[in-house]
Amino acid sequence: MDILLTYVVKPIAIFIGAYILIRFGGKKAVSEMNSFDLLFIIVLGTIVSEPLVTKQTVEALTYGLVFLISYILFSYATLNNKLRWFLIAKPTVLVRNGDIDEKGLKKARITTSELISTLRQQGYTKTADVELAVLEDMGKVSVIPKSYARPLQPSDLNLHPSPTFIPIPIIMNGQIIYHNLKFLDKDEEWLNMQLMANQKNIQNISDITLATYTQQGTLSVDTDNPNENSNTNNPYLYKPGMDN
């Protein structure tokens, strides 16, 4: 019984407790993290792992709860504009109007080589093409190119494309998403007709990875074996390795 409690029940309880604490910490705590977000994750991980080698499970989860409350209060404090600039690191300018800001590099402790590497990762080979590059409080570098170096926009050609349409999933991994069908005011009869147009039917959807409702009002189907009837000697269907 003691072995079951030590090696099964306690780890599961710690995992569930840590998961609940992180969920209450919010999505921001596990996405783009500033210094305090990172501190919260590191310290919380240390606190909740302590009971794995000691018997202080309740105490550790209590400490984790107190630290969570402190983190939430701190997060609310950063919503105040005056307190935010005191609690959170300010953005640091690295490049302005094509010129490298040496003071900014020194403050951020970033070398010129690291800056150039970061710009290359975002598709810019010359600092002269950059209007502004800023090290954000989350630790990432934001780059705003000069007007001549940015990607061509439809407005540059006086074009007015139609509004962006996000395809709506109808079938995912062989399962029909009924609430999306209801949202679109469609039924299984409509779905079956769309599937038949793609050589499928509603009784045989297990190999459909994704089927989405398109802007044209039709169904776009992606199966887990899309080239099953294609010419296997087609060079466009080449697969590296021994699968050919």
Side-chain angles (χ1 to χ4, degrees), residues 11 13 18 47 83 96 98 103 112 120 124 161 185 187 199 212 223:
I47 290 173
L83 291 176
R96 190 192 302 275
K103 290 183 179 179
T112 304
R120 282 200 303 266
Y124 302 100
D185 197 23
D187 54 22
Q199 290 77 51
T212 56
T223 66

Side-chain angles (χ1 to χ4, degrees), residues 92-94 100-118 133-136 139-141:
T92 303
V93 175
L94 305 178
I100 297 175
D101 189 324
E102 286 79 8
K103 290 183 179 179
L105 287 183
K106 185 177 180 180
K107 181 180 179 181
R109 296 188 292 277
I110 295 177
T111 66
T112 304
S113 177
E114 290 171 338
L115 172 64
I116 294 173
S117 174
T118 301
V134 178
L135 178 64
E136 305 289 358
K140 289 192 175 182
V141 176

Side-chain angles (χ1 to χ4, degrees), residues 170 176-192 194 213-214 216-219:
I170 301 299
I176 299 174
I177 306 177
Y178 285 100
H179 64 267
N180 282 350
L181 267 183
K182 183 178 180 181
F183 172 79
L184 294 168
D185 197 23
K186 303 294 184 181
D187 54 22
E188 289 190 0
E189 182 179 352
W190 171 87
L191 177 60
N192 195 45
Q194 292 294 320
Y213 182 81
T214 68
Q216 292 73 34
T218 59
L219 200 68

Side-chain angles (χ1 to χ4, degrees), residues 7-151:
Y7 295 103
V8 178
V9 177
K10 184 159 63 170
I12 291 175
I14 293 170
F15 177 84
I16 294 174
Y19 177 75
I20 292 173
L21 292 174
I22 292 176
R23 281 296 301 271
F24 276 106
K27 294 180 180 178
K28 181 172 174 288
V30 291
S31 57
E32 297 292 335
M33 296 188 290
N34 57 39
S35 301
F36 195 75
D37 296 326
L38 182 61
L39 176 65
F40 170 68
I41 294 299
I42 292 175
V43 174
L44 183 62
T46 303
I47 290 173
V48 299
S49 63
E50 178 68 19
L52 293 176
V53 293
T54 67
K55 296 182 178 181
Q56 299 175 341
T57 305
V58 177
E59 291 86 344
L61 292 178
T62 302
Y63 294 149
L65 178 61
V66 173
F67 195 75
L68 168 64
I69 294 172
S70 302
Y71 171 75
I72 292 175
L73 292 176
F74 183 92
S75 298
Y76 275 110
T78 60
L79 298 178
N80 183 289
N81 289 332
K82 293 182 179 180
L83 291 176
R84 176 175 175 79
W85 296 115
F86 175 74
L87 298 172
I88 302 297
K90 301 179 181 65
T92 303
V93 175
L94 305 178
V95 179
R96 190 192 302 275
N97 194 26
D99 294 324
I100 297 175
D101 189 324
E102 286 79 8
K103 290 183 179 179
L105 287 183
K106 185 177 180 180
K107 181 180 179 181
R109 296 188 292 277
I110 295 177
T111 66
T112 304
S113 177
E114 290 171 338
L115 172 64
I116 294 173
S117 174
T118 301
L119 295 179
R120 282 200 303 266
Q121 291 174 27
Q122 301 203 31
Y124 302 100
T125 58
K126 298 186 297 182
T127 57
D129 292 337
V130 176
E131 182 66 36
L132 187 69
V134 178
L135 178 64
E136 305 289 358
D137 59 353
M138 302 297 185
K140 289 192 175 182
V141 176
S142 300
V143 179
I144 300 176
K146 291 192 173 182
S147 57
Y148 65 80
R150 66 179 174 82

